Amino acid sequence: VPVEQDDPGRRWYEPGVFTVAPGVHRIPLPLPDELRAVNVYAIEADEGFTLIDSGLVLDTARDQLEAALKDLGGGLGDVRWFLVTHAHRDHYTQAVAVRRDFGTRVSLGIGEQPTLAIVSDPASAPYREQLAELRRHGASWVADAVAGVLPEETVPHTAWEMPDDWIQSNAILTVGERTLEAKSTPGHTQGHLVYFDRAASLLFGGDHILPHITPSIGLEPAPGASPLADYLDSLRATQLLPDARLLPAHGPVVASSHARIGELLEHHDRRLRLTAEAVEAGAVTAFDVSSALRWTRHERALDALPPFHQMLAVIETLWHLTVLETRGRVVSHERDGIVHFTASQTA
Ligand SMILES: [Zn+2]
């Protein structure tokens, strides 16, 4: 297996197995959406592989994982432990499927308990909470459009099962000779964990810090009261760890976790400012504000995005408005079932 070099000619999502540090291998697995792939990281140890994240439960992903492990001299039966960063389908559900065949241990952050209880319940409808939020925030037609594409965006509730154990924040995990520190980083999801290998200076960042895109915030059935506030706190907490190579779940390995955290903090500062200005200019609902803003690095209008991404945009705007309300910049009140925002008189 070749050691991974910075190679601008190769795209990060191309299949294969790439050694990113001694005994640590990046295995991109396919996704059926614009993210293209999710990186699973295989850590070698005498007792077998530990995998950070597992991929989406998908035949092609499983075949590629098996082929990659074969290149490393093993197979799915040699995976001893799945350390999953969070309970999104592209990180968690293949671990559950592999466990059914091999009895592999699966661990997840304890903060994901409420979400997992909902998604594994046969009575729960996918994104029910988000669709209700969209309607409360002036985006009923987005909710209707999203309802039509949900089969592409979800897995059946049977793909979800409880993990073997729940990892506490600041847990110290032993993987062969290696020590991993599990750090609670709520924001992307409530129970998101990053795994920090201090000795090797490697940060397995999950979706907390992505190199090319800004992670969605609080897209889960049981989000906290202010997921963006949590996320910004988690970024600052991660910045207090020593700078490290960032091993992200989507995108290429990058040299400095600190550099990317700085960019993400700056991005949200700018978005908070633009969000406040949109309310001051007369936008009333989270949907109005989302329509006034531009989206993605291509600066697209909201209605130029596919429905699922319009949902992400409106929900992300809502979390920015929630932070601005905490800071006293805007106030909200509900009228006829719709939440209205106005600029604070005292601001
Ligand atoms: Zn995620």
Side-chain angles (χ1 to χ4, degrees):
V1 173
V3 173
E4 181 153 50
Q5 309 287 346
D6 289 334
D7 177 1
R10 196 189 56 232
R11 289 161 297 190
W12 71 271
Y13 48 84
E14 286 173 18
V17 51
F18 308 97
T19 301
V20 293
V24 182
H25 312 279
R26 186 177 71 82
I27 305 171
L29 298 180
L31 295 177
D33 55 35
E34 68 297 324
L35 285 172
R36 294 175 185 277
V38 56
N39 292 318
V40 170
Y41 293 93
I43 302 174
E44 286 181 52
D46 288 343
E47 61 270 32
F49 296 107
T50 291
L51 265 48
I52 309 287
D53 287 327
S54 73
L56 177 64
V57 58
L58 198 68
D59 288 345
T60 51
R62 184 167 167 138
D63 292 347
Q64 286 185 27
L65 178 59
E66 198 151 27
L69 293 172
K70 195 171 167 215
D71 285 350
L72 296 171
L76 283 175
D78 299 303
V79 178
R80 164 186 165 259
W81 196 3
F82 284 105
L83 286 174
V84 182
T85 58
H86 64 292
H88 277 162
R89 63 172 188 159
D90 50 332
H91 299 257
Y92 186 68
T93 55
Q94 179 144 260
V96 170
V98 170
R99 180 175 66 181
R100 284 184 193 138
D101 294 338
F102 296 97
T104 321
R105 177 181 174 194
V106 178
S107 302
L108 188 64
I110 188 147
E112 300 294 62
Q113 257 176 348
T115 280
L116 219 59
I118 294 172
V119 291
S120 61
D121 177 356
S124 75
Y127 292 103
R128 176 173 52 197
E129 299 76 12
Q130 282 79 14
L131 299 185
E133 284 292 76
L134 289 177
R135 295 183 196 286
R136 283 184 68 224
H137 290 280
S140 284
W141 76 266
V142 176
D144 293 339
V146 167
V149 299
L150 278 184
E152 300 152 36
E153 302 289 347
T154 54
V155 291
H157 69 86
T158 50
W160 302 96
E161 287 174 7
M162 294 296 156
D164 295 281
D165 45 272
W166 299 101
I167 300 175
Q168 307 283 338
S169 184
N170 295 316
I172 304 291
L173 311 171
T174 302
V175 176
E177 308 280 282
R178 214 175 276 272
T179 299
L180 297 181
E181 299 169 38
K183 298 286 182 190
S184 170
T185 45
H188 179 65
T189 64
Q190 278 293 289
H192 191 288
L193 294 176
V194 298
Y195 298 99
F196 184 48
D197 182 337
R198 198 176 285 265
S201 199
L202 300 173
L203 181 66
F204 298 93
D207 282 358
H208 177 47
I209 311 165
L210 298 174
H212 291 161
I213 54 175
T214 60
S216 65
I217 303 294
L219 189 70
E220 55 192 327
S226 187
L228 179 63
D230 293 340
Y231 181 64
L232 298 175
D233 286 346
S234 294
L235 284 178
R236 290 185 203 102
T238 313
Q239 215 171 21
L240 294 176
L241 297 172
D243 198 11
R245 284 188 88 197
L246 172 66
L247 278 45
H250 310 283
V253 172
V254 296
S256 167
S257 56
H258 282 191
R260 184 57 184 152
I261 291 169
E263 291 170 1
L264 289 166
L265 286 168
E266 220 170 87
H267 165 84
H268 285 291
D269 271 351
R270 190 172 63 245
R271 295 302 284 192
L272 284 164
R273 194 176 64 243
L274 292 170
T275 302
E277 287 169 6
V279 175
E280 283 155 18
V284 173
T285 63
F287 174 73
D288 294 340
V289 175
S290 311
S291 302
L293 298 175
R294 289 296 166 266
W295 295 94
T296 80
R297 62 191 138 151
H298 306 294
E299 300 283 308
R300 296 216 157 93
L302 183 75
D303 61 10
L305 303 178
F308 195 78
H309 286 252
Q310 292 190 41
M311 172 173 77
L312 298 183
V314 174
I315 287 175
E316 176 137 345
T317 300
L318 171 60
W319 301 140
H320 281 87
L321 289 162
T322 304
V323 167
L324 289 170
E325 186 159 29
T326 307
R327 293 182 183 177
R329 292 290 304 274
V330 304
V331 288
S332 70
H333 57 275
E334 197 161 329
R335 191 192 304 153
D336 303 328
I338 305 283
V339 180
H340 292 62
F341 290 90
T342 48
S344 171
Q345 299 305 314
T346 58

